[in-house]
Amino acid sequence: MTSHIVMSSLEQVACEDLKAFERRLTEIILSSQPTALRWRLVLVGVSVCVVVGAVYWLGYPATAQVSFLTSLWLHPWFSLSSLAMVGLFLAGVHRRVVQTSIIVNRTREVLFDFSMDCDDSGKLILKPRPATA
């Protein structure tokens, strides 16, 4: 009788721990999504500036006749937006853009050892335990 009660309380504690872990994981994923979206918008904005600047830079008839640095000096929009793009990548914006999927993938790798998985929003998925041979 007491072993049944002890087992039941252990299962209850494990269930509560899983629920707490799931709540925290969901909270982390939800809080990282707005940040990732902001960085995506910044990256898209700078990319559009680079493309528009490149079109004007390459379409300028004197681009082939002047030196490279003079050409860049004559097209500050392209030069500054390209510099901003390089700065963003050096600062690691490419990791911040996919931050949520990195968190989910790393969590899935850890959960695999415990016969669990999670969806993209952080909800836990319990899998049947593998049969031991």
Side-chain angles (χ1 to χ4, degrees):
M1 178 84 170
T2 58
S3 67
H4 179 66
I5 294 172
V6 170
M7 190 60 126
S8 173
S9 67
L10 286 176
E11 289 174 357
Q12 186 178 8
V13 168
C15 185
E16 289 172 7
D17 287 346
L18 283 175
K19 287 180 183 177
F21 177 75
E22 182 181 60
R23 277 193 305 270
R24 183 66 180 137
L25 181 60
T26 305
E27 178 184 322
I28 289 169
I29 290 171
L30 286 175
S31 68
S32 71
Q33 286 174 345
T35 304
L37 178 64
R38 278 192 293 269
W39 282 112
R40 275 188 197 110
L41 292 175
V42 167
L43 191 59
V44 165
V46 172
S47 298
V48 167
C49 291
V50 168
V51 168
V52 169
V55 167
Y56 283 113
W57 181 54
L58 295 173
Y60 188 65
T63 298
Q65 283 97 21
V66 296
S67 71
F68 179 70
L69 291 177
T70 304
S71 179
L72 289 178
W73 182 258
L74 293 173
H75 295 88
W77 184 263
F78 174 71
S79 303
L80 293 175
S81 59
S82 297
L83 192 62
M85 179 70 82
V86 169
L88 286 172
F89 277 102
L90 289 176
V93 75
H94 55 288
R95 286 185 302 254
R96 292 180 181 142
V97 165
V98 292
Q99 166 182 349
T100 304
S101 63
I102 291 172
I103 293 170
V104 171
N105 288 335
R106 289 183 181 170
T107 303
R108 283 181 176 151
E109 289 176 12
V110 172
L111 289 174
F112 179 78
D113 295 336
F114 299 99
S115 297
M116 290 188 274
D117 197 2
C118 67
D119 61 8
D120 290 338
S121 66
K123 299 291 182 189
L124 289 179
I125 301 167
L126 300 176
K127 294 183 175 184
R129 292 183 183 213
T132 55

